[in-house]
Amino acid sequence: EINRTASLSANPHTRRVLGETMDGLFTEVGGPEDRLSDFEHFAPIWETHWDEDLETVPARAVTDYLIEFYRSQPSERTVAHYMQPHFPSIPAPIGEGMDIENDAHWNSNDVWTLIKNGDISVDDAYESYVQNLRYVLDDIEVVLSNVDAEKVIITADHGNAFGEWGEYGHGKSCVGATRNVPWIEVSATDSNTYIPEVDEAPSK
């Protein structure tokens, strides 16, 4: 199944978890071989579209690559991994993002640390999170109108805890808020209403 699947990812953890151990970057995890090469096509979008000011990958970078890929060389199955609604929020910035120069670790002033230290409120963090979700769903709407697919699944790799059982973020898998994610099945039709802006894109 993986051999017939394309993975288009804005998340640096794809290489951190599935890539081979490398000197310097991503030294803590990984393995003796590059499991990313098992995919029919792998596009590490974060390598070319990381925004240092936003400390994340904008949604439109994934949308553009996904639409262009579907129109030119679609796979039997494609997984597109957006960073949003993961913090940092683009429309409502709060806290710091990820440091991709340091094993893809979160900076010390990430939103969860700020909540725990009392520097920001849970309500403010949650509102920022919601705005970030709406931001990426707007891009999903663009995708659904510009690719042909009988079945599209909209889901998430994890949820986030906002104080449930004293937890924040997604460090504890036993918290229901981090494990319960949406599963939405829709279809998509290419009405050719959007032309993606894609430079030479990365591949495996």
Side-chain angles (χ1 to χ4, degrees):
E1 292 294 332
I2 293 176
N3 291 157
R4 298 194 296 270
T5 301
S7 173
L8 320 178
S9 181
N11 193 330
H13 285 291
T14 50
R15 190 173 297 285
R16 186 180 184 204
V17 174
L18 296 176
E20 62 183 341
T21 302
M22 297 179 290
D23 291 333
L25 189 63
F26 307 133
T27 57
E28 294 184 351
V29 291
E33 59 187 49
D34 184 4
R35 288 167 290 173
L36 292 170
S37 61
D38 291 337
F39 287 99
E40 181 179 51
H41 179 83
F42 171 64
I45 299 173
W46 65 274
E47 289 187 356
T48 55
H49 291 82
W50 188 266
D51 189 306
E52 293 185 359
D53 293 328
L54 298 174
E55 295 184 323
T56 190
V57 176
R60 190 49 54 97
V62 180
T63 297
D64 283 349
Y65 192 105
L66 175 57
I67 293 173
E68 180 69 20
F69 179 77
Y70 250 82
R71 288 176 176 171
S72 60
Q73 50 176 333
S75 295
E76 181 177 314
R77 174 184 295 163
T78 300
V79 178
H81 193 173
Y82 289 82
M83 282 299 283
Q84 295 75 31
H86 209 293
F87 287 109
S89 169
I90 289 181
I94 190 169
E96 295 182 349
M98 186 182 290
D99 180 3
I100 62 171
E101 297 299 327
N102 183 25
D103 275 349
H105 287 159
W106 292 101
N107 288 317
S108 58
N109 286 324
D110 67 277
V111 65
W112 310 115
T113 300
L114 294 176
I115 291 175
K116 291 177 183 178
N117 292 342
D119 296 321
I120 61 174
S121 70
V122 172
D123 287 344
D124 287 345
Y126 189 78
E127 178 58 29
S128 175
Y129 185 75
V130 169
Q131 290 190 42
N132 209 28
L133 175 59
R134 289 173 176 157
Y135 160 78
V136 71
L137 288 177
D138 285 343
D139 261 58
I140 296 299
E141 187 174 2
V142 174
V143 171
L144 295 178
S145 299
N146 287 278
V147 302
D148 286 317
E150 183 176 345
K151 180 184 287 188
V152 177
I153 305 298
I154 303 171
T155 187
D157 54 351
H158 61 77
N160 281 308
F162 282 86
E164 295 88 345
W165 297 94
E167 294 295 333
Y168 296 91
H170 57 279
K172 301 291 185 180
S173 61
C174 60
V175 179
T178 68
R179 300 178 63 190
N180 298 327
V181 297
W183 183 270
I184 302 167
E185 296 187 16
V186 295
S187 59
T189 301
D190 190 355
S191 57
N192 203 33
T193 57
Y194 178 74
I195 305 301
E197 297 181 10
V198 179
D199 297 326
E200 184 176 352
S203 61
K204 71 177 183 180

